[in-house]
């Protein structure tokens, strides 16, 4: 079997798209391994993800051939190699549980990524518990005054490392509108609450004060509108009156790590498509 | 074994409360069946629930005897019969799934309550699917203009039926501040979202628009501050992009029924104590 | 829009099936509303479910036309009307919580079924809490000795009522091999444990004895091999040491009702395909 | 505040135990921080856990004083320092996700333990992904023939390191009856299935073959009876037909790590009491 490819696309819904796309792949000798589609009846939009063995087709040739069909349906589309690790830039602050979790999953081959660099606003020594190995580390401190320069530096590093995805692994800094736009659709944040509840800072303390009986975490694409970006994945777990804020923080770490890792995996495997300010997630 | 009693109390925390209370019960010939306590380290408050076999002690005598101890510690306290069904008034609007669920659980003996009456702002015929049996039904239509009179009528009925608990089983009407205060601590509402997200009306449509990946429901005591009352119980379940608002409503019904029934059970069994605007829930 | 249809099929996997099937539907003027497929890499089998607006096509004509394609790929297939209520026979014993739950969901339009009759081995009076309305009720008592005759009677009733699905809603009787075979693929049972743990009788007491920290329920197609049929849906919830067997039974009722209703819904909407002794479930 | 202590005890249930124990603590100047009890109505046994500030009392003196009361009620009991890290020996095989997770939690202060050594039947190089730091590592290869000697070696190391708890973090070797007895009550295993389903080897492959819709993991004390030891904690998550055995393994890793870490935490905090072949877990 050749290296499998994954085609993702979206366009206005109309009869025949699936037939045309799958016939195109079949005609070229492709063999579907996994296919999912979503016909959004409210927005009349169509979304598709097809993982396939391209047979004798080269990826570039296939792309050239597909352009006609894509134009006819005015598709947004992408043809990616399934298993090629994406180049990932991870940003972190003092809490390193999400970072440690992502790196462990990367090391055992669970996440098809290549961590090209880690950026923190704190010094390397503050990452006490995660094992960075040889991954380049950059400290870029930030204050309200230096934010524009610091963010320019981040963009420069992202360019230099040719980063395809930026992960805010409890980075704890709000990105400027400009920065959020720059990385639109390729920057995932973990918010340590069950959005849309408890936006902003110290959500576990907010949750404690409110006396909720469940806490959660939300992974979403970053947009200029803080904590309002398209949600990729969420999870929640029960808590009780006996949980102090510290306990909530402890229980929350589990959820955050898990939710972020799952969102990153879904993104890396091209399973997340944008549908306005929402997402279509072709899970598995 | 005599009919078991349940003692619930709260007071400022200080050394010796548990010793004093349990020694008191033991001296009177009581035998503890289940006991739980919570020392709230942040508010320095103490909460306790003891279910016990009173032995030869009469409940009234026991109450008289306990007053001294209660006063010494400035306790809020209550001595209730465990299994005596509480008199419950259920208010409902057009959706009757929570009502049907509560009545079924009552009929099979799962909830120690006696539904003394059902009040709806709609006519009896609008309760199409729940089996009311011989429970008295009162239609009390309401408009913004007639709310004061209608609410007075509700209070009158609650008095006439000697209702100990009012359940808003998807009643879909906002209570006035006055009404909320009148029933403070003895009125449970089911909010069809995972508070504090999506307050107010049409939360499933809000959830759909926001593109969340989980929906939930919250049962809470009613306070003047809409959807801000002390939360008793919550639950949540995963949803996907493929869930239309109608599907969310369908999935939500399951969660609402379950969450409300659990909150009502906890209340009926004297397992919920108020801790400011939060609750202490001595679950089982 | 014409009444939507749903096409389900399975066959050996090979390139081009999706293209051929969707092109066929497109050519006939059909418009896909929802489509899911599963390429089982271990068994090399292919499964598909397509919900579509047939446009001007008549269902019968469409069937005739599809035969050629179906034969070419040696498909097992079915073309069903999406919204036509299926004729359902419900069997029950003394516990009626699953029955009550199914009937409520039916009454509010959540389940596309028509309950044609209820069979119990106990008299009608033993169904105390579920509201049967006008649904025909048949008491068919059974003992080990009379099982063959009783089961023949069940088959006769199923024929007479033209039942398309038999639901064992806590029927608590083991079917003979013959009966299980007779209703293969159209009889759903709820087992009140998390299969494959605790097969057989009194699973909650088994769970209590074993000291598990979660209990669950499993809905499955009935086969001759007791509690070994293809699983359609499962759920589980946490329990504690403080849960007596009675409490487990109470908590279990919630899970059972929910799991059975979901399995029935999935079946009624043609979302469950058999894959050997496992199922493919095209959920939503 | 003095260093808090935790008193755990169990005995036959009879009136007055709570009163006597809490009065004893109060008389000595102790102040209860958290207290839980369980009156097992089926076995007529009583279990209690009290976390308290001992005031001016020394732990040793308190022990001496408590002996009389303990003897009177024929208690099994223990008086431990809450925050003293327990000396823990971790055994592991080739999969290191549970090990990595435990060590991370230890490093950030989530688990009150001190990993005194790691034992593997494989060489140190096989632990590729977990960061061992300076923790002593011992390779003790084992075959059916050398098991007695290897297990003696393990006991010797446990003695030498004065280990209070042995964690089988996916050790994948069955202990002999003798070894299981030796470490009874102080050896926790993670079984990668939802016991009692899928005992023995390759549970995820068993789960795949059976076509279950949820998978889980169970942490339990080790006993001679394989996978039948008292369960401490369990969790489960939904899976689908599309999950290959490899996917189940991946999803399972999350559950295993989380369940084992929670069981270890509960044990370290003296929250788990044995109740025959079941456990009483005073969670928080």
């Amino acid at each position: 079997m050749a290296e499998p490819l994954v085609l993702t696309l979206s366009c206005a819904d109309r009869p025949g798209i699936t037939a045309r796309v799958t016939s195109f792949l079949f005609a070229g000798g492709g063999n579907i391994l996994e296919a999912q589609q979503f016909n959004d009846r409210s927005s009349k939009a169509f979304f598709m993800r097809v993982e396939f063995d391209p047979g004798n087709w080269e990826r570039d040739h296939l792309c050239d051939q597909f352009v006609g069909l894509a134009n006819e349906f005015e598709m947004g589309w992408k043809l990616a190699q399934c298993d090629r690790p994406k180049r990932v830039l991870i940003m972190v602050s003092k809490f390193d549980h999400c970072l440690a979790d992502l790196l462990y999953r990367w090391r055992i081959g669970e996440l098809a990524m290549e961590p090209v660099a880690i950026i923190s606003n704190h010094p390397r020594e503050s990452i006490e518990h995660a094992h960075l190995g040889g991954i380049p580390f950059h400290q870029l401190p930030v204050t309200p005054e230096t934010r524009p320069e610091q963010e320019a530096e981040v963009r420069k590093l992202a360019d230099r490392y040719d980063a395809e995805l930026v992960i805010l692994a409890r980075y704890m800094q709000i990105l400027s509108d400009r920065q959020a736009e720059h990385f639109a659709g390729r920057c995932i944040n973990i918010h340590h609450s069950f959005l849309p509840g408890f936006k902003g800072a110290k959500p576990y303390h907010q949750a404690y004060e409110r006396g909720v009986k469940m806490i959660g975490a939300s992974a979403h694409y970053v947009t200029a509108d803080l904590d309002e970006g398209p949600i990729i994945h969420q999870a929640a777990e029960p808590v009780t009156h006996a949980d102090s804020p510290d306990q909530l923080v402890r229980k929350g770490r589990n959820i955050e790590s898990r939710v972020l890792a799952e969102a990153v995996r879904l993104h890396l495997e091209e399973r997340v498509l944008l549908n306005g300010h929402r997402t279509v997630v072709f899970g598995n």
Side-chain angles (χ1 to χ4, degrees), chain A:
Chain A
M1 191 169 93
E3 172 109 18
L5 298 178
V6 57
L7 172 69
T8 48
L9 60 91
S10 63
C11 58
D13 197 6
R14 67 188 221 214
I17 312 175
T18 312
R20 291 289 298 280
V21 171
T22 55
S23 295
F24 168 84
L25 295 175
F26 178 52
N31 187 20
I32 294 176
L33 302 171
E34 181 185 334
Q36 288 156 299
Q37 67 176 71
F38 174 54
N39 304 65
D40 186 338
R41 299 187 202 184
S42 69
S43 69
K44 312 282 181 207
F46 176 84
F47 302 84
M48 192 174 199
R49 179 188 187 276
V50 188
E51 211 173 302
F52 63 101
D53 172 356
N56 296 320
W57 247 354
E58 293 293 323
R59 180 171 167 273
D60 288 350
H61 182 65
L62 212 157
C63 277
D64 291 346
Q65 297 291 309
F66 191 67
V67 167
L69 188 57
N71 288 345
E72 183 186 334
F73 286 90
E74 298 181 61
M75 291 172 181
W77 65 286
K78 184 176 177 184
L79 186 66
Q81 288 162 272
C82 261
D83 303 328
R84 187 185 63 80
K86 285 198 175 56
R87 302 174 62 81
V88 167
L89 183 68
I90 305 177
M91 300 186 71
V92 68
S93 187
K94 281 190 169 169
F95 301 111
D96 61 9
H97 54 283
C98 284
L99 175 65
D101 182 73
L102 288 171
L103 294 183
Y104 181 79
R105 290 175 198 266
W106 159 61
R107 287 183 176 119
I108 66 169
E110 198 175 300
L111 295 175
M113 69 183 192
E114 184 193 339
V116 290
I118 292 163
I119 294 177
S120 174
N121 50 333
H122 294 284
R124 186 183 176 119
E125 298 76 60
S126 68
I127 311 281
E128 286 181 85
H129 318 297
H131 183 55
L132 304 191
I135 306 168
F137 178 92
H138 299 268
Q139 184 191 356
L140 298 179
V142 63
T143 65
E145 290 72 36
T146 63
R147 188 173 309 277
E149 292 74 30
Q150 195 253 16
E151 292 195 337
E153 201 61 40
V154 171
R155 290 195 298 275
K156 209 183 292 177
L157 282 173
D159 282 349
R160 194 217 292 173
Y161 285 112
D162 200 14
E164 294 164 280
L165 176 67
V166 176
I167 304 174
L168 306 187
R170 297 294 308 269
Y171 174 55
M172 311 299 285
Q173 295 291 322
I174 295 166
L175 302 194
S176 69
D177 287 10
R178 184 185 166 177
Q179 194 77 336
E181 257 163 62
H182 181 81
F183 290 117
R186 53 191 178 114
C187 178
I188 296 175
N189 182 44
I190 179 73
H191 181 72
H192 45 318
S193 100
F194 197 62
L195 289 173
F198 308 128
K199 296 171 193 173
K202 291 209 161 248
Y204 293 124
H205 290 77
Q206 291 183 55
Y208 176 79
E209 284 308 324
R210 180 62 186 89
V212 296
K213 301 304 185 188
M214 292 189 87
I215 56 167
S218 310
H220 61 95
Y221 287 116
V222 172
T223 54
D225 204 351
L226 173 68
D227 296 336
E228 287 292 340
I231 295 171
I232 303 168
H233 190 57
Q234 296 186 296
E237 291 198 356
V239 297
T240 78
H241 61 268
D243 284 301
S244 63
D246 280 357
Q247 298 263 43
L248 296 184
V249 167
R250 172 177 69 76
K251 291 187 174 181
R253 277 195 296 263
N254 277 327
I255 315 177
E256 293 160 31
S257 304
R258 214 159 19 116
V259 167
L260 179 59
E262 179 66 358
V264 166
R265 183 185 71 83
L266 291 165
H267 177 94
L268 293 173
E269 298 181 0
E270 307 282 352
R271 295 182 178 280
V272 191
L273 282 74
L274 280 168
N275 182 14
H277 55 285
R278 292 180 288 163
T279 59
V280 171
V281 178
F282 290 128
N284 64 329

